[in-house]
Amino acid sequence: MSKLNRPNSKVSETQRRFKQPVIKFPAWAITPILLGSIALAVICTAAMPASAAERVMLRLGPFQQSIEIADLERFAETGEISTNLQPIAYLLTPDVRRVLSDRLELTADQANNLVDELLKSPGGDRIVQAVRLILPGISIEQVEAALMLAARQANNVSISSLFRALPGETITVDLSALITALSKLNLPYLGTKALDSYLQQEQELSVKNEPVLPNFNPAAAGDQPVRQQTLTFSDRQRGRTIPVEVYTSTEPADTQQPLVIISHGLGSDRQVLAYLARHLASHGLTVAAVEHPGSNVAWQAGAPITLDPSQLLAPSEFINRPLDVSFVLDEFAKLNRQSGLLQGKLNTDQVSMIGHSLGGYTALALAGGELQLDELRGFCKNKLPVGYSAADWLQCSAANLIGNRRQLRDERVVQVIALNPIVGRLFGQTGLSKITTPTLILAATEDVLAPALNHQLQPFTQLAGTKYLITAIGGTHLSVTEPANLTRAGGQNSIVKERRGADTEPLRQLLQGVSLAFIKQQTPEAETYAAFLSPTYARSLSTEALPLRLSTELPANLSRWLQVGTQK
């Protein structure tokens, strides 16, 4: 029976053999390290008992290459690539050397329960499949026993000692299977996914006295009829034609209400959050959904198949997207003064920005996030094209931009809502700290494309101003988008499974209510809506299948784990 199907009460053979007490250990913190090390250093080993493996056999189709352990140890210690290692020199990057040298402090008691915790996590089945593909002939039980042995011998575990503790004199690694497995594993995603239970239990608002919710529902449609129209603007200077979908109420203009701008994600269109736009307009707000010509559905249809991110998405798009919004705001400022249906409804001096995915990046850049391209280039250099998420890979297109620091702030943007934003290393370690506008970020733990660990949770800790975090535990990258938009704009991906429909309706309801309450903080109605920016409101819409959380900060212990779990 697979360990994934074992009853929880059953004690593993390894536990009986060593008779150690079971101590809970947060497996999510180890997953990226353990599996990432396998991904980068499948060829590594270290000194262990006499029966330990002495060599690694690399298999790539009909090609086989035997690698001696001593040569690998020398590379880990000195960086020297011996003659025997020359056939795999392209794999021996500085990242691989670092992984070979790293050791994880892990006692035997902690190791006793680690594998069971990993296998019971939502990504456990992927781990089992990966082990079977990468290490033919090695079972998950043997991996567990090896982990126990390595930990008991030195009170710490390296990927080297783990391989050394596996049975047999020669370890066979199937590189073809490794590449296939890693394209599905997505290590940053697995690291995030293992956070589910921790986020569900620990994430709370920093203030203890939560407000009583008012007796109205901000997720319910407003009482104002909504008018929808399409405008098209031509930016001749940049050669871009920008369609904009505008949603307004039919009531007289309220000049105290902010203008809301929506920016879609890569390969999507201006309809991606149509339900949210209609909802906000029904409450008297004017909403404009911008379509970016260099990264929309039409662009996707002609995108080349390539492993070069700069050939897939032009580096200039990271600059052009924010400039699209600023250009539209300039045009809106003119329309606001002209007679017509939009006169007085386009408050371009007070803009609330909503962005999804790459649109989330766009929103953060407009709010003042500073691109730190030097750090991004350091991250992208010598990275193997496997084991990372789509967003980790795609962001490296921006590394080809000129300069080291770029800021695209538009001071008219006074609030930001970033939904599943692509952040990664685009803003470096300090770029987001320059944002002073109130910011709300949404993260989904099942997001395979832009895993929350690297793209939302870690970036959230950088924000210094007023901030909120919504966590959808079990949500995916497209869970918040217009359900009818999924088929038209990339939601039917056969590789990435998206959670949608009725299962994710509570999340969209929460987004409607929280977005309205958040935007209203810039109006005289701020106090009326403030109570809905609380954990109480998020939990009121939470379900067993889709737990929802809202907070203003991460617990200190979770923040510390993020430092360990985030990929370097």
Side-chain angles (χ1 to χ4, degrees), residues 147-337:
L147 180 65
M148 289 282 298
L149 180 60
R152 288 178 64 84
Q153 296 223 347
N155 281 337
N156 58 49
V157 175
S158 66
I159 195 66
S160 303
S161 61
L162 177 60
F163 272 104
R164 260 303 199 174
L166 290 170
E169 293 184 0
T170 300
I171 301 169
T172 298
V173 176
D174 191 321
L175 291 179
S176 299
L178 173 65
I179 294 173
T180 300
L182 288 177
S183 68
K184 298 177 181 178
L185 268 176
N186 189 342
L187 305 177
Y189 159 69
L190 289 181
T192 301
K193 193 64 189 77
L195 279 169
D196 279 8
S197 60
Y198 199 75
L199 285 168
Q200 188 169 349
Q201 295 170 8
E202 299 293 337
Q203 193 178 345
E204 295 294 339
L205 191 66
S206 57
V207 294
K208 296 181 180 180
N209 298 321
E210 295 182 16
V212 176
L213 297 180
N215 59 358
F216 68 93
N217 180 10
D223 57 5
Q224 300 190 30
V226 176
R227 178 190 294 115
Q228 182 177 344
Q229 60 182 308
T230 302
L231 302 177
T232 301
F233 300 101
S234 179
D235 186 342
R236 294 195 180 110
Q237 185 176 357
R238 292 185 300 133
R240 289 169 76 88
T241 299
I242 306 169
V244 181
E245 205 72 14
V246 181
Y247 304 79
T248 60
S249 71
T250 58
E251 300 293 326
D254 182 351
T255 57
Q256 292 182 308
Q257 299 296 324
L259 170 66
V260 181
I261 299 289
I262 294 178
S263 174
H264 63 77
L266 181 66
S268 188
D269 61 26
R270 62 188 184 277
Q271 307 293 339
V272 68
L273 293 171
Y275 74 95
L276 180 59
R278 289 190 293 269
H279 174 73
L280 296 175
S282 74
H283 286 271
L285 298 169
T286 298
V287 183
V290 175
E291 185 157 331
H292 303 282
S295 49
N296 58 359
V297 175
W299 158 87
Q300 186 180 47
I305 299 175
T306 175
L307 290 178
D308 182 350
S310 64
Q311 293 296 318
L312 178 64
L313 178 67
S316 58
E317 195 64 11
F318 289 89
I319 305 299
N320 276 327
R321 280 177 142 260
L323 293 180
D324 287 344
V325 174
S326 292
F327 174 78
V328 168
L329 292 180
D330 291 340
E331 296 300 302
F332 275 178
K334 300 173 187 176
L335 287 176
N336 196 53
R337 297 189 295 267

Side-chain angles (χ1 to χ4, degrees), residues 20-100:
Q20 295 289 341
V22 174
I23 296 180
K24 289 287 182 181
F25 192 77
W28 69 267
I30 310 303
T31 304
I33 298 171
L34 181 62
L35 293 180
S37 298
I38 292 175
L40 293 174
V42 295
I43 51 175
C44 61
T45 51
M48 288 292 285
S51 60
E54 297 179 359
R55 66 189 62 85
V56 175
M57 180 67 72
L58 301 179
R59 180 190 299 164
L60 182 60
F63 170 80
Q64 290 193 133
Q65 177 72 40
S66 178
I67 304 299
E68 296 296 324
I69 290 169
D71 291 327
L72 293 169
E73 292 175 332
R74 189 177 301 112
F75 169 71
E77 293 175 5
T78 68
E80 176 188 348
I81 298 178
S82 67
T83 302
N84 290 334
L85 293 180
Q86 285 301 322
I88 61 165
Y90 69 98
L91 288 173
L92 302 179
T93 67
D95 289 320
V96 171
R97 185 185 173 194
R98 188 188 69 244
V99 168
L100 284 166

Side-chain angles (χ1 to χ4, degrees), residues 300-474:
Q300 186 180 47
I305 299 175
T306 175
L307 290 178
D308 182 350
S310 64
Q311 293 296 318
L312 178 64
L313 178 67
S316 58
E317 195 64 11
F318 289 89
I319 305 299
N320 276 327
R321 280 177 142 260
L323 293 180
D324 287 344
V325 174
S326 292
F327 174 78
V328 168
L329 292 180
D330 291 340
E331 296 300 302
F332 275 178
K334 300 173 187 176
L335 287 176
N336 196 53
R337 297 189 295 267
Q338 298 173 3
S339 61
L341 296 175
L342 294 178
Q343 185 177 22
K345 287 182 174 290
L346 301 169
N347 183 5
T348 57
D349 293 328
Q350 193 179 21
V351 176
S352 294
M353 186 77 198
I354 301 176
H356 177 253
S357 188
L358 192 57
Y361 152 78
T362 305
L364 292 169
L366 284 162
E370 182 183 72
L371 283 170
Q372 298 189 349
L373 300 172
D374 48 352
E375 291 189 37
L376 178 64
R377 293 185 192 107
F379 172 78
C380 296
K381 184 179 180 181
N382 297 325
K383 290 294 178 187
L384 298 176
V386 291
Y388 290 92
S389 70
D392 289 322
W393 173 74
L394 187 68
Q395 69 178 335
C396 289
S397 172
N400 293 283
L401 292 170
I402 298 173
N404 291 329
R405 297 285 192 275
R406 294 292 293 270
Q407 201 171 65
L408 300 160
R409 182 183 181 184
D410 192 315
E411 294 186 356
R412 292 171 290 189
V413 175
V414 297
Q415 286 178 306
V416 165
I417 299 176
L419 310 172
N420 306 92
I422 291 177
V423 178
R425 305 306 175 99
L426 287 164
F427 299 104
Q429 296 296 314
T430 60
L432 292 180
S433 65
K434 300 182 184 300
I435 295 178
T436 58
T437 57
T439 302
L440 185 150
I441 288 180
L442 181 140
T445 62
E446 286 273 10
D447 189 339
V448 176
L449 301 175
L453 189 64
N454 293 349
H455 292 271
Q456 293 101 48
L457 298 181
Q458 185 69 22
F460 178 79
T461 64
Q462 290 187 35
L463 296 170
T466 301
K467 58 184 179 180
Y468 299 90
L469 175 68
I470 296 175
T471 308
I473 301 170

